[in-house]
């Protein structure tokens, strides 16, 4: 918490409504009393910026799930988008992976309009008052605040074209949607979510989607009554610690499940360049074995039903089990492997990595080159620069 009473979106950020609303809610949920000085300062910061009605869209989404904001005030996230023909320019499969993998679980939750029974819980019932100062929750015009966002959070203002599109979708949500179409699209979204869980060993592509997948698994299992029996939910809970980082100033969530492959690659390149490999043979052999083990061997032909191109032969930023390799880490890890193979002390170790695995890396890197000559990160570019006009979030 900062001196102005608010919280930033990240640890180096000035106070935002995004950070303040979510951190305030988190404190209240873990038992901090609303009368503490910290909470009073947080509420005053929110009051100065219009209350939670002026939080950005992702914050509002989480509030709606918690039952302290109404779905009427949420910009539509229709799962029907996934049923568009693959050639359609606005098919979400063409969007950047981090974008589509966040809105994938969002669209399923949105279609269900899942909401915690906030009125039955004294804490969430109190939050309905605390988050909206000088207003009565039951009398708020939620529809009027779909696009409301505080100036301090409006980092990337929603383009007028996107606002028009969201307004059109709000009309669709009001007079529709067709039940049969929503069911088919929601079922596909859930199947896609489950596929991503299995392909990434329940890590997903990052912590934002991870939290949403965890919630989806709980809701899909039937909530508290049955979640303890759900394999998917239990697996998600077990993988939460992969994102947690305990530092000297407390616990945070990392932006990834680590940077092990990235760090190891550079460390071993430095060891080779400094002629330290022969001096630290055991360390070098362990690093070699680790790099060999963490090369991605899955999806040799991709998973095009779920918009995954072939990834065999790559290295991810963290580990192979996360199964989202990137071109830059792959290039650095490949360089480290090739350098280590040439070291005399590594003789007998190279058998751990057959030549075919090296060929797979070459094929992976070549396949990630875009049509303009440059390289993509997670996957080839599938869209156009005008997609920026359709950024639905303010972040």
């Amino acid at each position: 918490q900062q001196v102005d009473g608010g919280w930033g979106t990240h640890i180096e950020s000035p106070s935002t409504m995004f950070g303040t609303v979510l951190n305030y809610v988190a404190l209240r949920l873990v038992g901090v009393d609303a009368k503490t000085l910290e909470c009073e300062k947080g509420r005053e910061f929110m009051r100065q910026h219009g209350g939670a009605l002026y939080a950005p869209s992702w914050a509002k989404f989480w509030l709606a799930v918690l039952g302290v904001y109404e779905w009427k005030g949420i910009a539509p996230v229709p799962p029907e988008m996934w049923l568009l023909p693959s050639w359609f320019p606005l098919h979400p499969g063409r969007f950047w992976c981090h974008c589509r993998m966040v809105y994938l679980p969002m669209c399923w939750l949105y279609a269900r309009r899942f909401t915690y029974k906030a009125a039955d819980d004294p804490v969430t019932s109190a939050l309905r008052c605390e988050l909206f100062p000088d207003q009565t929750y039951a009398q708020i015009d939620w529809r009027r605040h779909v696009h409301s966002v505080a100036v301090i959070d409006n980092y990337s203002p929603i383009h007028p074209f996107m606002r028009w599109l969201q307004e059109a979708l709000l009309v669709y949500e009001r007079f529709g949607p067709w039940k049969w179409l929503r069911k088919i699209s929601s079922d596909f979204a859930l199947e896609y979510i489950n596929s991503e869980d299995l392909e990434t060993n329940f890590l997903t592509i990052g912590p934002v989607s991870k939290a949403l997948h965890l919630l989806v698994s709980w809701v899909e299992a039937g909530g508290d009554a049955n979640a303890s029996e759900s394999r998917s939910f239990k697996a998600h809970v077990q993988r939460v610690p992969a994102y947690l980082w305990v530092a000297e100033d407390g616990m945070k969530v990392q932006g990834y499940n680590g940077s092990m492959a990235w760090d190891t690659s550079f460390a071993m390149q430095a060891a080779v360049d400094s002629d330290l490999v022969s001096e630290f043979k055991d360390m070098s052999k362990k690093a070699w074995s680790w790099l060999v083990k963490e090369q991605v061997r899955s999806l040799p032909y991709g998973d095009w039903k779920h918009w995954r191109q072939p990834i065999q032969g790559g290295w991810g930023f963290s580990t192979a089990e996360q199964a989202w390799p990137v071109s830059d880490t792959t290039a650095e890890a490949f360089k480290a492997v090739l350098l280590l193979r040439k070291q005399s002390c590594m003789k007998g170790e190279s058998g751990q990595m057959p030549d075919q695995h090296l060929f797979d890396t070459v094929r992976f890197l070549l396949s990630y080159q875009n049509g303009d000559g440059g390289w993509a990160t997670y996957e080839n570019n599938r869209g156009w620069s005008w997609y920026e006009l359709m950024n639905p979030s303010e972040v």
Side-chain angles (χ1 to χ4, degrees):
Q1 189 175 26
Q2 310 199 70
V3 293
D4 59 7
W7 284 264
T9 305
H10 54 84
I11 60 174
E12 295 179 346
S13 166
S15 295
T16 62
M17 284 296 285
F18 198 165
T20 301
V21 168
L22 293 185
N23 276 281
Y24 181 88
V25 169
L27 285 176
R28 294 286 285 117
L29 292 179
V30 297
V32 177
D33 194 281
K35 296 179 180 179
T36 62
L37 179 61
E38 292 79 8
C39 284
E40 289 179 351
K41 291 173 64 179
R43 286 198 302 277
E44 176 57 24
F45 181 89
M46 288 188 286
R47 187 191 67 77
Q48 292 174 4
H49 295 87
L53 290 170
Y54 289 84
S57 56
W58 285 12
K60 288 177 178 176
F61 190 94
W62 277 110
L63 295 181
V65 164
L66 187 60
V68 296
Y69 193 97
E70 294 299 311
W71 284 107
K72 294 178 183 178
I74 299 295
V77 192
E80 288 87 343
M81 293 281 289
W82 290 104
L83 300 184
L84 292 169
S86 59
W87 53 262
F88 193 72
L90 299 183
H91 192 292
R94 293 183 173 276
F95 300 162
W96 189 47
C97 53
H98 272 287
C99 174
R100 71 172 184 270
M101 300 313 294
V102 167
Y103 283 102
L104 171 66
M106 273 188 173
C107 78
W108 188 84
L109 291 165
Y110 178 81
R112 292 282 293 260
R113 299 295 200 277
F114 169 77
T115 298
Y116 176 66
K117 296 179 180 179
D120 299 335
D121 186 311
V123 175
T124 48
S125 181
L127 281 170
R128 287 184 168 188
C129 298
E130 297 164 22
L131 294 172
F132 308 98
D134 307 321
Q135 298 184 75
T136 301
Y137 186 85
Q139 297 177 356
I140 294 175
D141 184 356
W142 302 100
R143 175 66 180 80
R144 179 168 162 261
H145 290 283
V146 170
H147 301 296
S148 297
V149 60
V151 174
I152 57 174
D153 284 74
N154 206 11
Y155 178 78
S156 178
I158 295 178
H159 192 274
F161 174 73
M162 188 60 194
R163 291 189 62 156
W164 175 85
L165 184 59
Q166 289 179 335
E167 289 293 332
L169 289 173
L170 282 168
V171 173
Y172 171 71
E173 292 294 330
R174 180 181 178 183
F175 294 102
W178 294 315
K179 291 183 179 179
W180 64 271
L181 190 61
R182 177 132 295 182
K183 184 181 186 308
I184 292 173
S185 58
S186 295
D187 288 348
F188 173 79
L190 182 60
E191 190 269 331
Y192 192 169
I193 291 166
N194 292 334
S195 174
E196 169 73 356
D197 287 342
L198 294 175
E199 288 176 0
T200 64
N201 295 281
F202 295 89
L203 287 168
T204 78
I205 196 172
V208 178
S209 57
K210 167 65 177 176
L212 290 163
H213 278 235
L214 174 61
L215 177 59
V216 166
S217 68
W218 184 84
V219 174
E220 202 268 332
D224 280 335
N226 304 305
S228 61
E229 303 300 321
S230 166
R231 175 184 175 274
S232 178
F233 177 72
K234 290 190 290 185
H236 265 298
V237 171
Q238 291 172 354
R239 300 317 307 268
V240 168
Y243 284 104
L244 303 182
W245 169 39
V246 181
E248 64 277 4
D249 58 345
M251 186 174 70
K252 307 177 182 71
V253 173
Q254 303 178 104
Y256 224 67
N257 67 311
S259 56
M260 295 77 90
W262 182 253
D263 298 336
T264 303
S265 300
F266 282 120
M268 295 318 300
Q269 288 179 38
V272 172
D273 290 345
S274 305
D275 294 324
L276 293 175
V277 172
S278 58
E279 185 176 348
F280 297 96
K281 296 179 182 178
D282 289 342
M283 176 202 73
S284 299
K285 289 180 179 180
K286 288 179 180 178
W288 164 268
S289 297
W290 190 88
L291 286 170
V292 169
K293 177 172 66 74
E294 296 304 331
Q295 185 191 37
V296 175
R297 304 303 307 160
S298 60
L299 298 183
Y301 306 107
D303 177 10
W304 289 108
K305 179 182 179 181
H306 303 118
W307 295 83
R308 295 296 307 274
Q309 66 188 69
I311 61 174
Q312 188 179 74
W315 275 271
F317 192 60
S318 56
T319 55
E321 65 171 349
Q322 195 257 356
W324 276 97
V326 285
S327 60
D328 51 356
T329 305
T330 298
E332 300 297 349
F334 192 40
K335 181 178 179 181
V337 165
L338 294 177
L339 289 171
L340 286 171
R341 276 169 60 96
K342 296 178 180 179
Q343 303 300 306
S344 58
C345 65
M346 300 299 293
K347 289 183 178 179
E349 302 293 328
S350 59
Q352 297 179 42
M353 175 167 271
D355 288 344
Q356 183 58 51
H357 290 198
L358 301 177
F359 303 156
D360 291 339
T361 300
V362 173
R363 183 170 60 249
F364 173 92
L365 289 172
L366 290 174
S367 71
Y368 270 56
Q369 187 176 26
N370 284 321
D372 61 4
W375 259 259
T377 50
Y378 290 90
E379 57 196 8
N380 294 111
N381 179 28
R382 301 168 181 172
W384 298 269
S385 59
W386 54 264
Y387 277 4
E388 288 297 324
L389 303 179
M390 302 182 60
N391 181 4
S393 69
E394 303 81 3
V395 297

